[in-house]
Amino acid sequence: MTFDELGLSEKVLAAVKAAGYVNPTPIQAQAIPPALQGRDILGIAQTGTGKTAAFTLPMLSRLEQGRARARVPRTLILEPTRELAAQVEESFAKYGVNHKLNVALLIGGVSFGDQEAKIMRGADVLIATPGRLLDFFDRGKLLLTGIEILVIDEADRMLDMGFIPDIERVCKLVPFTRQTLFFSATMPPEITRLTEAFLHNPVRIEVARAATTASTIRQALVASHGHADKRETLRNLIRDAENLKNAIIFCNRKRDVAILHRSLQKHGFSAGALHGDMDQLARMASLDAFKNGDVNLLVCSDVAARGLDIPDVSHVYNFDVPTHSEDYVHRIGRTGRAGRSGVALTIVTEDDMKYVDQIQSLIGKAIDWEGPGFDALPPPMETTRPHEHRRGGRGERGSRRERGGERATRRPERGERVERRTERVEQVEAEGPVAMGRPAHSPRRPDAEPARSRPVDDRRDRRSRRHHEDDGPPVIGLGDHVPSFLLRPVVLRPAKVAEE
Ligand code: AMP
């Protein structure tokens, strides 16, 4: 199928050709014709499927008739994060080169004045995050009575971020007769309820299950001990990587993004960071530096990275195993796009195994192990550092002991661990055709270097370890932990956390 068959206007087709697209993606092929007819769309699609163009192109075609009036935008696109909103604005610039449309962006962290001026001029397209939109509306600076098309993008992310009440409010403020284009990667019950309440006889299009991982991605698991060891494991993986052009490194917690970012910089890596505690300017700067190749590593949290279009990533590293298996699929989907090859490596500690099992169940296959297995790793850092033992009952070991964990009081014997693991592999194999256990001992790669000796300054990593591993109150000190307010430039108006 070609774009010419979809019913798009000449101006839009010319822009699509100029963008270098030859064939529509499945979501575009299925969504564009009914969207042009004015039908509501329920698109179940994740980022990377071409869904932005699936709603942008028919909108542009339909906007060719009519004009915007001051303070009464004609179309509204709701995005969960500022970066996604800015990305959609870029899409309108790209696909709308042949149109003279007024596109306004309403996002937190940007001055009210400029945004207001654009709305006063009459916006054909208003792209907004829900909080800032309702702020404007409540100040009487904007009317929603002229909305012809409403787009709700990344609805499941909106749910995660607590925006559903805002979305419901917006849906009630826009005219009943508008067209609604609704996109979500997954359909939890709250989202289904929303679509039942606010979509009118939608065309349902489902393009890719979240469980699908591209066959062009080489996936592997890499064993490691606790946090400080994981940092060294990561550094070694990056140093040993073949054809590493650029990499995204995922952490589960915002705080760990900042810590790992600092640690990588300290070790001489060219790294940026993206997490929800950074203000808008710092986030945009990080993203641009990564896209331009000024830094080739980007440390991210899931929310900060969700939906961002960062083409051409050669490697993805999961510094932490994601606790929601679908996040694994989203994360590694950052590489191996559009038929290119990519590498996705996940650093795993023994405590993470239950999440690894869930991921393997979701994707329906076992992920190979790479490098030494848990048994063959050098001992964890705490057992090799004499002063770690001197910490006594007040340290991490003491507190674990207080919690009564088996692992806190002794390391299990080698034979015992092998036996437990074998049992588990057998159990999983008995349940289905896919072997989802891990090898009792993964042999070291024949070409692997011997374990590197730890640089002296790594001790700083360890000092703040307790703090990294728990999500408890921050430890304020001059260790590796740097409070996030020191990592970002001072801004007069703090960014709205809710819109992250
Ligand atoms: P999205 O899922 O909207 O974030 O789009 C993912 C990427 O695919 C973006 O970089 C788009 O520029 C690109 N893209 C969208 N549609 C097409 C197409 N028909 N052919 C090739 N690339 C496309």
Side-chain angles (χ1 to χ4, degrees), residues 362-396:
L362 178 74
I363 65 173
K365 64 180 179 195
I367 308 171
D368 291 337
W369 287 83
E370 184 173 294
F374 290 114
D375 291 343
L377 288 173
M381 291 181 104
E382 64 227 309
T383 61
T384 58
R385 306 263 169 177
H387 64 275
E388 190 78 17
H389 293 285
R390 286 202 297 270
R391 274 211 308 229
R394 289 179 59 79
E396 180 192 45

Side-chain angles (χ1 to χ4, degrees), residues 3 16 19-25 27-28 46-55 57 84 87 91 94-95 153-154 307-311 337-338:
F3 276 101
V16 166
Y21 303 161
V22 181
N23 303 109
T25 64
I27 186 129
Q28 292 163 1
Q46 63 196 75
T47 186
T49 54
K51 71 180 163 66
T52 315
F55 63 78
L57 302 181
L84 281 169
Q87 211 164 275
S91 291
K94 180 158 82 177
Y95 307 130
D153 194 18
E154 302 262 342
L308 292 184
D309 182 24
I310 307 166
R337 285 186 167 196

Side-chain angles (χ1 to χ4, degrees), residues 364-424:
K365 64 180 179 195
I367 308 171
D368 291 337
W369 287 83
E370 184 173 294
F374 290 114
D375 291 343
L377 288 173
M381 291 181 104
E382 64 227 309
T383 61
T384 58
R385 306 263 169 177
H387 64 275
E388 190 78 17
H389 293 285
R390 286 202 297 270
R391 274 211 308 229
R394 289 179 59 79
E396 180 192 45
R397 296 173 143 254
S399 56
R400 278 206 189 161
R401 208 175 285 139
E402 282 154 26
R403 290 202 297 267
E406 183 205 2
R407 219 172 271 137
T409 49
R410 63 183 177 89
R411 269 178 72 81
E413 295 302 317
R414 178 170 292 220
E416 182 189 338
R417 285 198 296 155
V418 168
E419 195 183 309
R420 245 199 286 141
R421 256 178 234 155
T422 314
E423 254 171 38
R424 204 148 66 87

Side-chain angles (χ1 to χ4, degrees), residues 48-126:
T49 54
K51 71 180 163 66
T52 315
F55 63 78
T56 310
L57 302 181
M59 282 176 79
L60 283 165
S61 278
R62 296 201 64 202
L63 282 166
E64 286 172 19
Q65 262 88 54
R67 282 197 65 218
R69 286 176 291 137
R71 290 202 299 145
V72 192
R74 296 178 64 195
T75 62
L76 171 63
I77 301 170
L78 290 176
E79 292 289 339
T81 66
R82 302 155 193 172
E83 285 82 2
L84 281 169
Q87 211 164 275
V88 171
E89 188 192 28
E90 283 171 23
S91 291
F92 271 95
K94 180 158 82 177
Y95 307 130
V97 280
N98 304 316
H99 296 74
K100 285 198 179 60
L101 292 179
N102 190 6
V103 178
L105 195 59
L106 267 189
I107 54 176
V110 178
S111 94
F112 264 71
D114 295 350
Q115 297 180 344
E116 194 183 349
K118 278 207 162 177
I119 289 174
M120 275 310 291
R121 268 200 282 148
D124 295 288
V125 181
L126 178 59

